Amino acid sequence: MKKLKFFIVSDSVGETAELVAKAAASQFRQDLDTVSMKRFSHIEEKSQLEEIAWLAEQQQAVIVYTLVRSDMRDALIAYCGRRDVQCIDLLGPIMHSIEHVLDERPTEEPGLVRQLDEDYFRKIEAIEFAVKYDDGRDPRGVLNADIVLVGISRTSKTPLSQYLALQRFKVANVPLVPEVEPPAELYEIDPDKCFGLVISPEILNSIRKERLIALGLKDDASYAKVDRIEQEIIHFNKVVNKIGCTVIDVSNRAVEETANVIISKMNSRKFERIRKDLQR
């Protein structure tokens, strides 16, 4: 049985071309041990393409390629044509069709899909982090977080953590209760990455009553009483003053608005640090 040889050529990693080649080869060789795949990744020079075409001729290999630059695709087609080497362009036809539909030129910048993939995995990692270190479950997360949220119960710490995670921030949140000493890690972190969430007693009173009713409980429990809430806020103020963190009033703010305030402050501080470093 004749062995089938593929040369996978890409200006990025080449995973896409290899998967497509394997899918096609499986229609002829169900035993993929009889199929050879050699990958040529991160190809940037036309001289490299000429050498690959020569090698393909010597080994009677089929070239399957994903090259985003049109001049590189044209060069490989020319080199393969001179040597009677079969070559299959996976990106060119699709890009031509999209260009025609949009009436726009492609950027022709290699590796953009991989950048998008990395961005996706950063987002997933941040979401998993927020879930793992939600509601003070493990105070060790405070030390590794990009952002730390502190506040009394029902100040939107969890939904805010998840929203910020979608923006690729690793967030830990810690509830503050007068009867429980805050974790020591809170006093070890950079105060600039910590944000205290406060809310008016009246609004929180209404929110907590609704919460109790939703749980099938009476709404006159201590948890929802204004004097208890004020006691918690006094404790909250002591803790955030000791940390030295920024305090945000979330009384009349949607989660998105609070997130934007935090992100804006984080970016401002980042640029300020860069400016100071440049002045040194």
Side-chain angles (χ1 to χ4, degrees), residues 42-261:
H42 304 292
I43 300 300
E44 299 177 352
E45 303 294 335
K46 293 177 183 177
S47 59
Q48 294 173 295
L49 296 177
E50 188 171 16
E51 185 174 353
I52 291 168
W54 179 82
L55 287 170
E57 180 188 23
Q58 304 304 306
Q59 298 187 24
Q60 295 184 305
V62 175
I63 295 178
V64 178
Y65 62 98
T66 51
L67 299 168
V68 299
R69 282 172 46 192
S70 56
D71 63 319
M72 293 285 279
R73 294 197 301 270
D74 292 342
L76 183 55
I77 290 170
Y79 296 143
C80 290
R82 293 172 198 163
R83 299 184 179 280
D84 197 26
V85 171
Q86 291 292 320
C87 63
I88 297 99
D89 180 5
L90 297 182
L91 278 183
I94 298 173
M95 290 173 65
H96 283 313
S97 296
I98 296 172
E99 182 179 353
H100 177 73
V101 170
L102 298 179
D103 194 25
E104 295 177 17
R105 288 284 299 160
T107 60
E108 296 194 347
E109 182 181 342
L112 291 181
V113 169
R114 195 160 189 84
Q115 290 175 28
L116 290 172
D117 286 345
E118 289 172 358
D119 182 67
Y120 169 78
F121 286 115
R122 280 198 301 271
K123 183 187 293 186
I124 296 301
E125 184 181 8
I127 292 171
E128 291 175 345
F129 187 96
V131 171
K132 183 176 182 180
Y133 298 110
D134 180 47
D135 207 32
R137 290 175 188 165
D138 186 345
R140 291 175 298 180
V142 169
L143 300 175
N144 299 317
D146 301 318
I147 296 172
V148 178
L149 305 176
V150 296
I152 62 178
S153 175
R154 313 312 295 176
T155 50
S156 300
K157 296 184 298 298
T158 295
L160 182 56
S161 296
Q162 289 295 326
Y163 186 90
L164 288 167
L166 291 173
Q167 315 307 313
R168 293 98 180 145
F169 290 100
K170 292 181 179 178
V171 186
N173 75 74
V174 180
L176 298 181
V177 183
E179 293 79 14
V180 179
E181 190 66 25
E185 287 84 353
L186 275 181
Y187 305 115
E188 298 174 16
I189 62 173
D190 180 353
D192 281 350
K193 75 174 186 178
C194 184
F195 295 86
L197 308 179
V198 71
I199 190 170
S200 77
E202 294 75 22
I203 292 176
L204 187 55
N205 170 253
S206 176
I207 292 172
R208 287 188 174 183
K209 281 185 175 181
E210 291 297 326
R211 177 61 175 165
L212 289 171
I213 292 170
L215 293 172
L217 304 172
K218 293 182 179 180
D219 65 358
D220 60 351
S222 171
Y223 171 75
K225 289 183 177 178
V226 173
D227 56 350
R228 167 63 186 184
I229 291 171
E230 290 176 340
Q231 181 187 352
E232 290 182 32
I233 291 176
I234 290 171
H235 174 69
F236 164 84
N237 287 329
K238 287 180 181 178
V239 173
V240 296
N241 287 337
K242 186 175 179 180
I243 297 171
C245 64
T246 299
V247 176
I248 301 173
D249 190 337
V250 299
S251 300
N252 297 301
R253 281 195 172 103
V255 168
E256 296 87 342
E257 293 176 291
T258 306
N260 288 338
V261 171

